[in-house]
Structure formats: structure tokens, C-alpha cells
Amino acid sequence: MTNSTNSPVSVHDEWSPLEEVIVGTALGARVPHSDKGQHTIRCSDLSAIPEGPIDPRCIAEAEEDIAGLISFLEDQGIKVRRPVVRDHSREYATPDWKSDGMHAFCPRDTLLAVGRTIIETPMSLRSRQYESLAYRPILHEYMNSGARWISAPKPELRESGYNRTDRSLLAVLEEEPVFDAANCLRLGRDILYLVSDSGNLNGATWLQSALGDSYRVHRCENIYKSTHIDTTIAALRPGLLLANPARLSEKTIPKVLRDWEVIMAPEPVDIGYSGYPFSSPWIGMNFLSISPELAVVEKSQTELIRILEKRGISCAPLPWRHGRSLGGGFHCATLDVRRTGNLENFTS
């Protein structure tokens, strides 16, 4: 019998000193086959998204940047875990559809660590339904060491569950719980949940039921229609937020955070992309907090670095050349599973 108090998974917020992290891989990354979900969520033009392997040069350079990140993390005394490399070109099927895979570059998208629990989330894209298999050896180890490992109901993702008739509405309808882990931001007992093209209201309801009364899941609606929360809001430390001014104003900050100080992020430096951009230039504000005093930031974002350092947050400027091509910055490409600190209230 395992003891949950000894769980290797123990994380309550986005900023406490980091002790263990999963870092993704670019190896095997590809653009999956076109289907209704891919085009409803990613792009309305059926011919705009290329299919097949990502440019090998992009993969090689991304792996170089990942190696640099890992070296920095390990120099800080942080334990780094890695996924297994899988063949994402292999097709799989349900009774309603078939798909190939995408990558294991962004553990933040498919796994949600809250407290001593790690959750496989019911992702919005068919091509990412089995992405968490790349992390299964780690998840088994965590469970056997005391962590709580659960999975949301696997979504059916039928044609009727996607909206392609009215682009003003969200891409994922309310047939079933659907959400990516990166729709969520942990603030102690409060979990922000971005209702968007990659997460519906049913997903928020399921998450609240899974986490129980110790947590409050806040549905953030009418903020940012597209996908994940971590290029819209970043929590720097208790009481201090970084917000995307293209999507938020001080008047539209979620109500639960109205007492927090808000810093508006500067216009990002566009790092460019190869092939098709799976992220906007705002991937530049997608940084990883090592502690309340230290963050890993893409090295081109000099104005963001200046603003953070003015607030007492030292920055490690590292290269991250293909965040837009692969769809993830430093926050997306990592999953913090253990930070020091306890479960607390940070909101009034």
C-alpha cells in the first residue's frame, strides 16, 4: 500500500520553488491528418495546415534548446523526467473516427498536476488522445510511490461535438467533458479554468467533481476564445499577475483575481516559425517559474525580462527557437510535478 503523504507529486501553485519537472521531446513531432477537430480548433481553412513530419532541422534545433533547458534545470538541483519516444505516425481508431498522433512536446497540455494528484485530461483534438502514453512509465512510478493517478473519461469527439457553423462560438460543444490541461492555472485552492476552443463548461464541471471540496474551479469565460490560458495569464507570485493586454484589461481580469496587482506584458518579439504556426507570437510570454525570484524566459523577450527583473524576478534567458512551430513555450513544454510549499488560499 502506498502512502499519499510521501507522494512525489506535490504541487499547489505556479511559482513555489521547483523540485521536479517533466520536460517534453520534439522527437517524432508531426502535423497530424486533417479532421474536423483539427480544423475547427486550429484553422478554418482546410488546406492551410500541412500534414506529415516536422522539418528535421526544426526538430534538431528544438532538441538542442531542450537540452539547454534541461542542463539549466539540473544545475539548479531540479530533478528532470523525460517521456519515452513514440511513433506518432501510427494510426489508431475509435468506432467513429481514426487519426494519427502529433508529438510529446507539451506535457502541460495533456497532464494536470494538482496537489498530490496527476490527471490525464480529455483533450480536445483527436490526434492527441493517446499522447499521455509517452509519460506512462513516469505515471506508473508516481502511483507506486504514493501519487494519485486518475484519468478523465475518454471523450468520444464525434463530428457532432465540434462546431464549424458559427465561428463566433466555441469550437467544442457541450456533448461531453473536454479540456486540455493547459486550460488550467493553479493558484493554491483556486484553479482558473479557461472556457475556450480547447475546454468546455462540462470539462470544468468534471474537474471540480474530481478535485473535490478542497479546490474551487473558476470558469473564466469570454476572455480568450482560442485555446490555452498560459499565453493570457501568468501568476508570478501571490498577489502579482502578468496579463496579455491583447486579450485582457484590468476590467476583464477574472473576478477572483481582482485584488491582485496586474502587470501588462509587453508586445512580444516574434521568434518566427517553420511550416505552420501552432502558436501566436504571444508564446513569448510563456515562461517557466523556477521560484518567486527566478524564471526561464525566451532570450529574445528582452522587454519582458526587463519588466520581470524590475519586480525582483531574475531571468535565465535561454533560446527557444521553435515554440511557434511546435506549439509551446517553456511553460507548455514542461510539467512541474513537485514544488515546495503547502496548499493555501491566495485569494480573498
Side-chain angles (χ1 to χ4, degrees), residues 124-283:
S124 55
L125 289 171
R126 293 168 175 172
S127 58
R128 305 188 73 178
Q129 290 312 294
Y130 292 96
E131 197 168 297
S132 62
L133 293 179
Y135 309 96
R136 279 292 173 89
I138 303 172
L139 296 175
H140 277 286
E141 181 183 327
Y142 286 164
M143 180 189 71
N144 291 331
S145 299
R148 179 178 178 238
W149 169 24
I150 63 175
S151 178
K154 188 65 70 176
E156 295 182 75
L157 299 180
R158 296 177 297 182
E159 295 283 301
S160 57
Y162 292 111
N163 161 43
R164 288 205 62 214
T165 60
D166 186 347
R167 300 295 293 181
S168 68
L169 302 177
L170 297 182
V172 178
L173 302 178
E174 296 293 338
E175 282 195 358
E176 57 188 343
V178 174
F179 69 98
D180 294 356
N183 278 58
C184 303
L185 197 69
R186 301 161 309 198
L187 308 172
R189 295 189 182 276
D190 296 288
I191 309 292
L192 298 189
Y193 177 103
L194 183 67
V195 180
S196 66
D197 284 347
S198 58
N200 61 14
L201 292 168
N202 269 325
T205 299
W206 181 87
L207 181 61
Q208 182 67 76
S209 70
L211 294 178
D213 295 338
S214 295
Y215 296 90
R216 300 176 289 262
V217 176
H218 300 271
R219 302 174 179 188
C220 301
E221 300 184 67
N222 303 314
I223 291 178
Y224 174 53
K225 180 182 178 296
S226 187
T227 54
H228 303 150
I229 197 170
D230 51 3
T231 54
T232 299
I233 302 174
L236 301 171
R237 58 179 179 252
L240 186 62
L241 290 176
L242 181 72
N244 182 331
R247 302 170 188 169
L248 283 168
S249 69
E250 292 193 11
K251 292 182 179 179
T252 59
I253 292 290
K255 184 177 180 181
V256 68
L257 299 175
R258 292 289 168 84
D259 292 337
W260 287 43
E261 182 183 359
V262 179
I263 303 171
M264 289 299 173
E267 188 73 20
V269 175
D270 189 349
I271 59 174
Y273 60 90
S274 172
Y276 180 84
F278 283 99
S279 295
S280 79
W282 284 104
I283 203 69

Side-chain angles (χ1 to χ4, degrees), residues 330-344:
F330 288 117
H331 193 258
C332 303
T334 58
L335 177 67
D336 44 350
V337 295
R338 191 170 67 250
R339 291 181 181 269
T340 62
N342 300 309
L343 181 61
E344 297 182 47

Side-chain angles (χ1 to χ4, degrees), residues 15 17 236-237 289-295 308 311-315:
W15 57 77
L236 301 171
R237 58 179 179 252
S289 287
I290 305 300
S291 74
E293 297 82 30
L294 178 63
L308 294 178
R311 295 299 181 126
I313 301 170
S314 298
C315 294

